Every structure is written in structure tokens, then in C-alpha cells.
Amino acid sequence: MTQGGKKKKRAVNRSIMLAKKIIIKDGGTPQGIGSPSVYHAVIVIFLEFFAWGLLTAPTLVVLHETFPKHTFLMNGLIQGVKGLLSFLSAPLIGALSDVWGRKSFLLLTVFFTCAPIPLMKISPWWYFAVISVSGVFAVTFSVVFAYVADITQEHERSMAYGLVSATFAASLVTSPAIGAYLGRVYGDSLVVVLATAIALLDICFILVAVPESLPEKMRPASWGAPISWEQADPFASLKKVGQDSIVLLICITVFLSYLPEAGQYSSFFLYLRQIMGFSSESVAAFIAVLGILSIIAQTIVLSLLMRSIGNKNTILLGLGFQILQLAWYGFGSEPWMMWAAGAVAAMSSITFPAVSALVSRTADADQQGVVQGMITGIRGLCNGLGPALYGFIFYIFHVELNELPMPETASGGSTDTQYHLQQNSIIPGPPFLFGACSVLLALLVALFIPEHTNLTVRAGSWKKHCGGHGHPHSPQAPGEAKEPLLQDTNV
């Protein structure tokens, strides 16, 4: 090798070493593939929720086998405890991730969220107990959104959040059907093993491939540095609800409309499986169809409605669809009614994006994080209260089964009518009818929300609280509070 070639090689080596020093100084880590990117976050989200989606059908069966007499009540309590713990812990974990970095908390949240999966076949009682307790760490979306905020500019962030949201939806559209098929052909044990393997793959991916996104200069010098407890207060956003009458109306509307929606998410697939006699494949197909229709409704249809009838009228229309959907679920006694109501449910999904858009358009630039944070806090509270409320109403009206459904026919229904819906009941699904009444109240409240106004809520030190869900040095751009932030639950 010539002298010039050796000098050139040494220069290249020095450049590489200098680049590594710069990366480490700026918060990078030698452990990871490439520089931090949105695609790292997307893969983490996809693998976690794909693993849980595979277990949709097995979970419904194990739930009824474990709690045969009070299936809906126990389901509501399990999901309610998990939701409340997530609501209480999300700001604290976000605040700690601002101090210690995102990668360690991505690893922590994914590990504990997926920890119950192998217990399904080992001990169902421990499986459901660990699911409840895992709510403390079931906030992967909060950490992922903070990861994305670290590595994107404000004008890029909404598109990046949309990519994460679409990945979440795609994982839940595809995985339940795959899990149901594998369970029918090879048995549920294989599905549990596969879900466990995918969860382990996600953990290994975080350990090996995900680089740290939080720059070193943004972190305190010591790991023992104190955090702001106001930032970790889950009720910080709720305390400001009554400071503006318009904000109060919006928050009441969100609470009354999302409370039944959160309860419905927690119990509806169990209701289809155990009461309406749907097969595992039918439940998976229902999830896929509803997911695809909801994506269409929240993109194409929502855009058309916002341009044609305005923001407020879109909210009112979405609430109207939700009332129709819940009433249909409440009085429906045949499987085809559930499918028809599912199409209406997809249209009702436009409500929350329309509410977020209304807040984004009417609030001042420095008020966006405050008001969006209030709405996020309300929805987090509903994620805990809704499932418990639905389970309690099911229990009061004795909507239970004493046995598992008989073998299913090709049409997806049960071969024995005693396992079909309680035909003598005037109201087959009481919680859904209660939900319809709650959304009707939300519709009446929403009528008083003005189309154009300026929201003025005192932000003060609350902006520190926003750091739990985003980077403290990256103010939240309008409309960035996305729905999946509070959907860290299993199907």
C-alpha cells in the first residue's frame, strides 16, 4: 500500500472515530442500528400489538373458562384496574424518560406489557392478575410518541404520529384473523408460543437495534437528578378543566361520549363470542372489517365532512352515529344486526378527531398542549372507569353464560340456541343502551359548543406536564394529541 493510501485510510479512521464521539456526546449510543428514526418506533409498536392481537380469540375463551359465573364483571374489573393504573403512571413514566432516556423505558414498558402472554397456558389466574398489574407499565405509546418528538421537527411530527397510528391499526386489523386461523388448525398453545416469540423479538429489537433518541445534553448530569412532581401528576390537566366554559363543555362532551366507548372496547368482542355466538373467525373478521372501515371514515369521510358541513356539525354527526350504533348493539338480537351496527360504529369514530381539530383551530398557539392534554386526561380516566362500569352493568342484569358455546357451524353461529342471546330479554345488551343515553347527553352538551371561539386557559407551569408525552424542549404542535396515545390495551 502506498504512503498516500495509508494516510487516506488513517484519515478515514479518524473521521469515523470523531463521528462516534459526536454521536455519543449528542445522546447517541453505540448500541443500536443507525440513527434514531420513526421506523424504529413503528417496528416496536407493530410487534407489541401484533403479539397481543394474535391472542384475541384465545383470551376470550380463557376468560370465560376462568370466570364462568361472572365473566363480564371480572373482565370489566381487570381492564378497569389496568386502565386506571395506566392513567396514573403515564405522566410519571414520561417524566422519568425525560431524565433517563427513552430506550430504557421502551424496554421496560414492552417487557411488562407482554409479560402476561406466556402465563395464559401456564396459569390463567396469574395471567389475568399480571394483566391488571401491568397497567402500571402499559404506556408504550406515551414513550413512543416522546421518542418520535425527540427526532422530528414540529412540521414533521403530525405525519410521524400518523404513521405510528396507522401501524397500530394495521397490526390489529391483521393479527386477530391470523391468530384465530392458527388456533383452529393447530390449537391455542401454538398461538401463545408464537405471540411469546414475537414479544421476545420486540424486546431483542429494542436491546439491539433501537438507538437512544434523547440527546445527552438534554438529560441531567446525574441519574439521581430530581424530577418535577407536578409533571408526574396525572390529575394536573384535569384541574384546569373548569377555567374556561368552552373547555368545560368540550371536556364534558368527551367524557360522556368516550366513557361508553372505553367500556365497549373492553367487552364487545367477548359479547360477540359468548353471547351472540360468533365464532373465533367471525370475531377476527369483524375486527378487520371494522378497522378498515374506521380508517376510511377517519381519513376520507372525515375530510369531506369537515369541508362540507363544518367542524362542530361533524362532531354532532359522529355523536349521532354513536347513539345509533350503541342502541343497535343494545337491542340487537341477531348476528347480522351486529355486523350492520359495526358499519355505523366506523362512522362514529370520526368524533374524537373532529374534537381535536376543533380544539386545534380555536385554541391559541400557546394553549394547544394545555387543552389537548385535558382531553387526553379525560380519555385516560375513561379507560379505567368505562370497563368497570360495563362489567358492573352486565353483572346487575345477569348477562352471563354458564357454559362455553357448543361447536360452531360454518355460518359462525352456535348450533344450540341456549348459547345464543338471551331471547327472553327485552334489552339483550343493557350496558350498550346505557352508553347510548350517555352519548345522547354528550350530544346535548355539544350543541352549546360555539363553532369559532378562542380558548384561554392559563398554561402556567402545566407545560412541564406535557413533557411526559413529548420532548420538553419541543412544544406540541397543533393537533398532535392522537387517539392511540391512550389505547395501550390488549384487544
Side-chain angles (χ1 to χ4, degrees), residues 167-181:
T167 303
F168 165 79
S171 67
L172 295 186
V173 164
T174 55
S175 55
I178 295 174
Y181 172 77

Side-chain angles (χ1 to χ4, degrees), residues 71 119 140 165 259 262 289-290 388 426 476-477 488:
T71 309
L119 295 175
T140 307
S165 304
L259 184 68
V289 171
L290 188 59
I426 299 176
Q476 191 174 32
D488 282 3

Side-chain angles (χ1 to χ4, degrees), residues 153-167:
Q153 300 297 322
E154 288 187 20
H155 66 278
E156 304 171 328
R157 207 162 293 155
S158 293
M159 184 176 295
Y161 285 173
L163 180 60
V164 174
S165 304
T167 303

Side-chain angles (χ1 to χ4, degrees), residues 239-321:
K239 293 174 182 176
K240 298 182 179 294
V241 167
Q243 294 184 5
D244 185 278
S245 59
I246 308 302
V247 173
L248 181 62
L249 290 175
I250 292 175
C251 288
I252 292 175
T253 301
V254 171
F255 179 81
L256 292 175
S257 62
Y258 193 69
L259 184 68
E261 188 174 338
Q264 175 186 319
Y265 284 152
S266 70
S267 62
F268 187 63
F269 300 132
L270 176 64
Y271 183 78
L272 291 179
R273 180 78 173 90
Q274 306 292 354
I275 302 297
M276 295 304 300
F278 273 49
S279 66
S280 299
E281 292 79 9
S282 297
V283 172
F286 189 95
I287 295 173
V289 171
L290 188 59
I292 293 171
L293 291 178
S294 296
I295 292 172
I296 295 173
Q298 293 184 47
T299 53
I300 300 173
V301 177
L302 178 63
S303 177
L304 293 174
L305 289 175
M306 294 281 280
R307 286 199 300 265
S308 59
I309 64 176
N311 211 151
K312 178 183 175 180
N313 290 331
T314 301
I315 295 174
L316 297 177
L317 184 63
L319 293 173
F321 276 117

Side-chain angles (χ1 to χ4, degrees), residues 95-102 104-105 212 214 219-220 222-225:
L96 291 174
S97 74
D98 287 338
V99 176
W100 295 341
R102 315 298 184 195
S104 57
F105 282 92
E212 176 58 58
L214 188 64
R219 298 184 233 164
S222 169
W223 274 53

